[in-house]
Amino acid sequence: SPAIKSIGKSRLVSLKHLRVMYTYFTEEAGTPELFTKADQLFNEITQMQRATYDLMIDQGFMTVTPESSDKIQTAYDQLKSVVEEMN
């Protein structure tokens, strides 16, 4: 149903934002114990995000379309250029 599709997409966006927040949290953790707990929560959120993504695809709410070889090559060339500039 359209409502379920919308909820699923909102969940993906929310989990994406949570992952970013936990990335910051792990970077700023003041103790090894806090880092370990934040990292554990980050991993749980990552698993939830992946499970939601897989569910959306399985239910036909999202489709995965492979990119053409030309687009992949162009992206590779651009990334390679950026990396070379960094060296």
Side-chain angles (χ1 to χ4, degrees), residues 15-27:
L15 290 167
K16 178 181 178 180
H17 291 295
L18 278 171
R19 282 187 71 218
V20 170
M21 292 295 104
Y22 274 100
T23 298
Y24 296 146
F25 192 19
T26 57
E27 289 174 4

Side-chain angles (χ1 to χ4, degrees), residues 19-87:
R19 282 187 71 218
V20 170
M21 292 295 104
Y22 274 100
T23 298
Y24 296 146
F25 192 19
T26 57
E27 289 174 4
E28 298 297 326
T31 66
E33 295 81 12
L34 183 56
F35 171 84
T36 299
K37 184 61 178 173
D39 190 52
Q40 179 184 31
L41 291 169
F42 171 84
N43 289 327
E44 289 176 20
I45 290 166
T46 300
Q47 290 172 3
M48 282 191 283
Q49 185 182 23
R50 185 62 200 204
T52 302
Y53 175 81
D54 289 343
L55 177 66
M56 296 288 288
I57 291 174
D58 291 345
Q59 294 299 309
F61 296 141
M62 296 173 62
T63 57
V64 178
T65 307
E67 287 293 346
S68 69
S69 296
D70 290 339
K71 282 190 175 183
I72 293 170
Q73 187 64 50
T74 299
Y76 171 80
D77 292 341
Q78 290 172 345
L79 178 60
K80 184 178 177 184
S81 175
V82 169
V83 169
E84 287 173 354
E85 288 178 17
M86 292 169 49
N87 291 330

